[in-house]
Amino acid sequence: MNLYQAVIIGGGPAGMMGAITLGNHSVKTIILDENESIGGQLVKQTHKFFGDHAHYASTRGFEIAQKLDEEIVKNENIEVENDATVIGIYPNNTVVYIKDGQEHKIQAKKILIATGAMEKQLPFINSDLPGVYGAGAVQTLMNEYGIMPGKRFLIIGSGNIGLILAYQLIQAGVEVRAIVEALGKVGGYEVHANKVKRLGVPILLNHTIVRAIGDESVEGAVIAKIDDKFQTIPGTEREMVVDTIAISVGLTPLTELAEQAGCKVEFIPELGGYVPIRDERMRTTNPDVFIAGDLSSIEEATTAMIEGKIAALEMARDINGSDTKEEIEEELRTLALFRSGPKSVKIRSGLEKMGIKISIPTKPIINEKKEDVIGKLRAVLECDEEIPCNSCEASCPFGAIHIGENLNSTPVLDAEKCTGCGTCVNACPGLAIFMMKENEEESTVTLGIPYELLPLSEKGQKMWGLSKEGNYVCDVTVERVIKYPNKTNIVYAKLPIEFKDTVRHFAFPKKESPIVCRCEEVSLEQIEKVIDSGVTDFEEIKRLTRVTMGPCGGKNCKLVVLGILSRKTGVPISKLSHGTSRPPVKPVEFSVFKKGGDER
């Protein structure tokens, strides 16, 4: 039986970082991983990660895996055994695994278990039909094997995984009909949600899936609204035509091996379910066994890597007496900083149940505002959520963006210092930074947006400007396209200045005319036909098409209609009549008027 100083089970971000740290402290280490290559969930992540640059912020997941793998290959103290499925941990730190159809046994002084988590299931009628997948399975098929399991998706769950999956599917050219969320708010980061909403994907809150439709495979789905007790509300059911349903309702830690190793396990829902009890240095109730990553608590890859490093530093102290005290304390401070924001409230609560108190750093979260500068090409930051990331500040070569010592603070732009280089747009993992310059003499604005779709537009092309919800707003003309090696390109286009704060995405025109007035279902084509017939008065357009006459009273589409009229006639919106406001300004039932007013 081979004897190692340390064995790591699981080659994801926590395991890889743990191995690198052990190897750097001269600990002979072996990684056992059941996949054909290490990297874990990182290899299927094509989006850029949040965090700070010391922990690979602005780097795509598969690229992080490549960087860690390169460090492991160069380290002569690390051995990797791929396609090795660990089936049990026995007394005397004996690890048994299967490889090439044969059983293998090794022993180690210390064990780091970083087996991650698995997707939770959601029971509903016909959930066993082909075409119902876990979100992770779809990512594996799509991003690792180049296989698309469907053409029209419904995603259940709006956590970061569900939101990221929706974005990746659209990048791959697939239609995402909707994201359904049982809670009354989006579960993942707001910037991730904004990315998919402006691509036209609705996020239906307080909804659930009732059943999948189909005999041999998924042909559709029935969804419905739910009340505050998560019960479906009769009469709200509706069908959606989809061929694939992706379930993304959370992860639960894989604790089996830890339990076999004698580690005490408790149910702590804030951390994902059953988790091994451990101290702040990742040591379990078995002093020879450590854990890290999603097995410890369901979080991001960045905290998984930090946990893997902390566990490894403590293991090195045990194994060869390495002086790692200062390194551990520094990593603990970094981890506390990452977890000090409002998005980590649950994690802090769960760790307290385990007896681990997170010391909130004294570095304050700062949310200051500075004056904007109109008429200058500059960045526009739309990142208002306190998430641990400072990629924009770190990337700005002119010091124009400030976050401060607590990376949970929201970024602030000093427009006077901004040169309009666009570096921050390219670096932002949330695609939450845009470029803007008002051309007031011609009543237009030049807007630059981050663009990660194909094909790319070209100078002079006409596109549609879409709102933050993915609705048509106006036509735009592409002025230039800046390409970047990391594929987050910037498309600059000119559009009417009235829509500078409304348009947040550009899309190629479709054959089907976009709906401008959703209340009355009036399309762009219908409005243009009326204008082309010679009608240039806004009130006449209203009467002929019923545009702006629905329940919202034109709050959503009035300015868009005026923009179309302005474009077709050449008259600035400011010179057009915008109609007459008549009561009621909000929808009321006719029975109110029948009663003749307040009878009291």
Side-chain angles (χ1 to χ4, degrees):
M1 186 185 304
N2 291 327
L3 177 64
Y4 291 86
Q5 289 181 302
V7 59
I8 296 176
I9 304 172
M16 295 175 86
M17 184 58 75
I20 293 167
T21 306
L22 286 165
N24 289 342
H25 285 82
S26 303
V27 176
K28 292 292 184 183
T29 303
I30 182 172
I31 300 176
L32 301 176
D33 190 90
E34 64 182 353
N35 299 300
E36 60 184 16
S37 61
I38 56 176
Q41 298 300 311
L42 288 175
V43 299
K44 63 180 77 169
Q45 303 306 331
T46 58
H47 66 286
K48 292 180 291 190
F49 276 59
F50 296 92
D52 60 14
H53 276 217
H55 297 90
Y56 304 104
S58 300
T59 307
R60 300 187 190 277
F62 69 92
E63 293 173 329
I64 296 174
Q66 290 170 356
K67 290 175 184 291
L68 295 176
D69 190 32
E70 288 170 1
E71 287 192 59
I72 288 172
V73 169
K74 289 187 295 186
N75 197 314
E76 60 182 15
N77 291 319
I78 305 173
E79 183 180 333
V80 178
E81 193 82 301
N82 288 314
D83 297 313
T85 303
V86 176
I87 61 171
I89 298 178
Y90 295 87
N92 301 317
N93 297 343
T94 301
V95 178
V96 178
Y97 65 94
I98 304 297
K99 181 179 172 66
D100 299 328
Q102 293 187 338
E103 180 188 84
H104 301 266
K105 296 179 182 177
I106 59 175
Q107 279 187 326
K109 291 182 178 178
K110 301 292 174 184
I111 300 173
L112 171 57
I113 306 177
T115 45
M118 66 174 293
E119 293 178 295
K120 292 179 179 175
Q121 296 300 308
L122 180 68
F124 57 87
I125 298 172
N126 289 338
S127 64
D128 59 340
L129 274 178
V132 179
Y133 292 85
V138 175
Q139 285 186 318
T140 301
L141 288 169
M142 177 173 58
N143 296 336
E144 285 194 74
Y145 299 106
I147 298 171
M148 188 56 66
K151 295 180 179 178
R152 290 186 297 276
F153 276 70
L154 174 67
I155 296 176
I156 313 299
S158 70
N160 279 334
I161 295 176
L163 297 171
I164 290 168
L165 174 65
Y167 185 73
Q168 292 176 345
L169 286 168
I170 293 171
Q171 284 182 305
V174 172
E175 181 183 2
V176 179
R177 298 296 305 277
I179 299 174
V180 170
E181 170 59 55
L183 299 176
K185 63 179 181 180
V186 171
Y189 289 164
E190 185 178 304
V191 288
H192 278 321
N194 291 342
K195 278 195 300 187
V196 298
K197 285 195 291 188
R198 60 180 179 253
L199 293 176
V201 179
I203 301 176
L204 306 176
L205 303 178
N206 300 120
H207 277 71
T208 191
I209 182 169
V210 178
R211 62 189 174 95
I213 301 172
D215 295 321
E216 302 296 327
S217 63
V218 171
E219 298 174 4
V222 176
I223 64 172
K225 289 184 179 179
I226 55 176
D227 59 24
D228 55 3
K229 295 180 180 177
F230 299 104
Q231 300 299 309
T232 57
I233 301 174
T236 64
E237 299 89 352
R238 64 176 166 129
E239 291 185 6
M240 302 191 81
V241 179
V242 297
D243 59 18
T244 312
I245 299 169
I247 309 299
S248 178
V249 293
L251 304 171
T252 186
L254 291 166
T255 61
E256 292 82 359
L257 290 175
E259 292 185 70
Q260 289 180 21
C263 306
K264 183 181 177 182
V265 170
E266 288 188 1
F267 184 73
I268 303 178
E270 293 91 340
L271 302 181
Y274 285 100
V275 291
I277 299 299
R278 48 87 172 179
D279 62 19
E280 68 171 358
R281 299 186 178 197
M282 313 311 298
R283 192 192 300 268
T284 69
T285 52
N286 179 339
D288 290 338
V289 178
F290 295 74
I291 60 170
D294 280 349
L295 173 59
S296 165
S297 57
I298 305 300
E299 289 183 271
E300 299 292 325
T302 304
T303 54
M305 286 188 282
I306 299 173
E307 286 187 344
K309 188 171 184 178
I310 291 171
L313 290 169
E314 188 72 357
M315 291 164 71
R317 273 167 58 100
D318 287 357
I319 293 169
N320 60 18
S322 293
D323 182 9
T324 60
K325 181 180 177 182
E326 289 188 7
E327 281 186 89
I328 291 174
E329 290 177 351
E330 177 59 30
E331 293 302 322
L332 287 172
R333 284 193 291 271
T334 301
L335 192 56
L337 189 61
F338 269 85
R339 289 172 172 162
S340 65
K343 299 299 278 187
S344 297
V345 170
K346 276 178 60 179
I347 296 298
R348 295 198 297 268
S349 173
L351 291 175
E352 283 188 14
K353 289 183 177 179
M354 201 181 286
I356 299 174
K357 177 73 173 176
I358 299 293
S359 300
I360 302 297
T362 55
K363 300 167 184 174
I365 294 176
I366 301 171
N367 298 310
E368 57 179 315
K369 296 292 180 186
K370 283 189 177 294
E371 290 294 322
D372 199 1
V373 177
I374 305 299
K376 172 187 178 183
L377 183 62
R378 67 210 183 272
V380 175
L381 314 181
E382 296 190 349
C383 178
D384 300 321
E385 193 174 31
E386 294 165 351
I387 56 179
C389 185
N390 68 353
S391 59
C392 53
E393 180 188 56
S395 66
C396 180
F398 305 101
I401 299 178
H402 179 67
I403 286 181
E405 294 182 323
N406 192 325
L407 75 173
N408 288 283
S409 302
T410 54
V412 178
L413 177 77
D414 186 337
E416 294 288 352
K417 291 183 179 179
C418 180
T419 66
C421 68
T423 304
C424 56
V425 179
N426 171 259
C428 177
L431 306 187
I433 304 178
F434 305 84
M435 300 302 297
M436 185 179 291
K437 179 181 183 299
E438 296 85 354
N439 313 302
E440 296 199 45
E441 68 283 356
E442 56 182 34
S443 297
T444 63
V445 63
T446 297
L447 182 67
I449 66 161
Y451 202 88
E452 295 184 332
L453 304 176
L454 291 175
L456 269 177
S457 53
E458 296 178 356
K459 180 180 178 180
Q461 274 190 309
K462 299 290 184 183
M463 299 184 78
W464 287 350
L466 304 185
S467 70
K468 296 173 182 177
E469 289 75 35
N471 298 315
Y472 172 86
V473 175
C474 63
D475 290 352
V476 306
T477 303
V478 176
E479 291 187 319
R480 59 185 170 130
V481 177
I482 308 297
K483 299 179 182 178
Y484 288 89
N486 71 354
K487 309 302 182 188
T488 302
N489 307 301
I490 306 178
V491 176
Y492 288 88
K494 186 179 287 187
L495 54 134
I497 197 167
E498 292 82 2
F499 302 121
K500 69 173 190 174
D501 296 323
T502 307
V503 171
R504 284 299 177 267
H505 184 61
F506 304 144
F508 288 99
K510 298 178 182 177
K511 291 181 180 178
E512 184 180 354
S513 184
I515 296 294
V516 173
C517 174
R518 284 174 288 166
C519 299
E520 295 293 327
E521 297 186 344
V522 183
S523 70
L524 170 65
E525 184 181 20
Q526 289 173 289
I527 297 169
E528 287 184 329
K529 277 186 177 178
V530 170
I531 298 172
D532 289 341
S533 71
V535 177
T536 57
D537 179 76
F538 180 71
E539 285 291 345
E540 284 191 64
I541 295 172
K542 279 177 61 177
R543 284 192 285 273
L544 290 169
T545 65
R546 289 196 58 78
V547 70
T548 76
M549 296 176 72
C552 85
K555 294 181 179 63
N556 291 313
C557 63
K558 185 175 185 177
L559 191 57
V560 177
V561 177
L562 288 169
I564 298 167
L565 185 57
S566 173
R567 171 169 56 82
K568 298 287 284 185
T569 62
V571 180
I573 291 179
S574 59
K575 303 294 183 184
L576 291 171
S577 169
H578 62 282
T580 303
S581 179
R582 299 183 178 86
V585 295
K586 291 186 178 179
V588 294
E589 294 182 0
F590 277 114
S591 58
V592 173
F593 304 108
K594 187 178 179 182
K595 291 176 182 176
D598 191 345
E599 298 178 351
R600 287 176 295 178

